[in-house]
Amino acid sequence: MDIEERLVRRLRSARHVLVFTGAGVSAESGIPTFRDALTGLWENFDAEALATPEAFERDPAMVWGWYEWRRAKVLRAQPNPAHLAIAALAARVPRLTVVTQNVDDLHERAGSHDVLHLHGRIDRPFCAVCRRPGAYPPGIPDEPEGGRPLEPPRCIHCGGRLRPGVVWFGEMLPEAEWDAAIAAAESCDAFLCIGTSSVVQPAASLTTMAIRRGAITIQVNPNPTDLDHSVSLNLSGPAGMIMPALVDRVWGEI
Ligand code: BV8
Ligand code: ZN
């Protein structure tokens, strides 16, 4: 991988690396990116409109059906070489923090620990009324490719509807995770921004925090984003190919 030697040296000497990921890091695992996950029944929906408490209030079956369709894809997916390279990085740098916008558990299944999920987890439903955790039946939901509306299950404690364990638009990010992510962005000396369109706030502001502090910032994305001219280095291409090559090149054979 062709990277200027001075950037390689800066990355190699980093004491604290922050890896920030979006839906693109799971794309090669077959999980549609957030804005691609609107096909079939949901093709005429706008993600920002469907991933809201108001949409769930108005049509719980349509929203729950979308998340079950997505959850089935997560359960069938495997971590890809990008997730594995990020997990391998933990043993090669003094300190690694993984912050993700994704609601899947592929970083954990690849071996990453203490992943900060800013937008929640699709595998952790809770009751929309009493907010106690709910549970999914075992196995992979048998979702038709085009999707279908599904009535959410009921809470065993209060009978309220279960909702997906994600952060919807208009909802606050989980405080502990968000505070830890800010602390990591303020202390890291290398920031890898992987597979995100960087349009969702306040998550996307982590990258600008790192840029402002003068950390070395690397973006990995096959498409242009608003950060193209602000990061130290743009690696244009799929994360599943670029990440193993980057970790090899800078931090030795993985
Ligand atoms: C909040 C969970 C409000 C649900 C998600 C300023 C400050 C604060 C808020 C706002 C603000 N401006 C606007 C807002 C409101 C809003 C917002 O950001 N709107 C956007 C649309 C403008 N933010 C919020 O509502 C947030 N809440 O701030 O609280 C508040 C404040 C005070 C008091 C009370 C309340 C909550 C936002 C969280 C929303 N939930 N997810 C679910 O998943 O269903 S966000 C959703 O978008 C996903 O988590 C997704 O990860 C995330 C970001 O998208 P990306 O990950 O980037 O995915 P995307 O599809 O966009 O892009 C994929 C990228 O991958 C592309 O660039 C593509 O090129 C690339 N790619 C493709 N293939 C590959 C690849 N890259 C590498 N390799 C490949 N192979
Ligand atoms: Zn309940």
Side-chain angles (χ1 to χ4, degrees):
M1 166 174 277
D2 181 23
I3 303 183
E4 280 179 62
E5 205 44 47
R6 68 178 176 83
L7 292 178
V8 170
R9 278 198 301 277
R10 276 197 65 191
L11 283 169
R12 209 172 271 154
S13 61
R15 308 293 309 147
H16 180 188
V17 177
L18 192 161
V19 173
F20 176 55
T21 66
V25 82
S26 298
E28 289 152 273
S29 297
I31 297 180
T33 64
F34 187 61
R35 282 146 188 88
D36 291 348
L38 293 156
T39 56
L41 182 63
W42 300 284
E43 63 184 346
N44 302 320
F45 283 88
D46 166 32
E48 276 88 45
L50 206 51
T52 62
E54 295 75 20
F56 186 69
E57 191 62 37
R58 191 173 49 251
D59 190 344
M62 187 60 80
V63 174
W64 184 261
W66 185 45
Y67 281 90
E68 281 298 274
W69 179 77
R70 289 171 62 192
R71 188 171 73 89
K73 291 187 181 302
V74 172
L75 289 168
R76 288 198 186 94
Q78 291 303 323
N80 69 60
H83 297 106
L84 296 166
I86 292 164
L89 200 45
R92 279 163 182 69
V93 298
R95 186 178 163 206
L96 176 71
T97 304
V98 180
V99 179
T100 188
Q101 300 170 92
N102 299 340
V103 296
D104 65 55
D105 62 344
L106 293 185
H107 281 304
E108 286 82 330
R109 283 160 58 193
S112 289
H113 300 288
D114 308 322
V115 177
L116 297 172
H117 283 264
L118 299 183
H119 296 157
R121 295 269 302 253
I122 201 166
D123 55 347
R124 293 193 181 154
F126 61 88
C127 173
V129 175
C130 71
R131 299 186 75 84
R132 288 189 186 92
Y136 287 113
I140 300 180
D142 179 19
E143 286 311 298
E145 192 35 45
R148 59 184 166 141
L150 269 179
E151 190 49 41
R154 293 288 169 162
C155 166
I156 55 169
H157 308 284
C158 77
R161 284 194 180 91
L162 293 193
R163 56 159 281 178
V166 301
V167 178
W168 277 328
F169 288 95
E171 293 185 326
M172 296 294 281
L173 273 57
E175 195 172 347
E177 284 80 356
W178 180 232
D179 290 349
I182 292 175
E186 297 293 352
S187 85
C188 72
D189 40 4
F191 188 105
L192 312 184
C193 177
I194 302 161
T196 180
S197 56
S198 296
V199 298
V200 172
Q201 295 295 352
S205 62
L206 293 172
T207 312
T208 34
M209 278 179 218
I211 291 170
R212 206 175 300 127
R213 283 192 36 255
I216 179 169
T217 47
I218 313 284
Q219 180 177 238
V220 176
N221 196 318
N223 300 312
T225 76
D226 290 350
L227 294 179
D228 284 8
H229 304 297
S230 323
V231 292
S232 317
L233 176 69
N234 240 335
L235 296 173
S236 181
M241 190 187 75
I242 289 188
M243 282 313 294
L246 175 69
V247 172
D248 262 2
R249 175 77 177 79
V250 176
W251 289 284
E253 290 296 310
I254 55 170

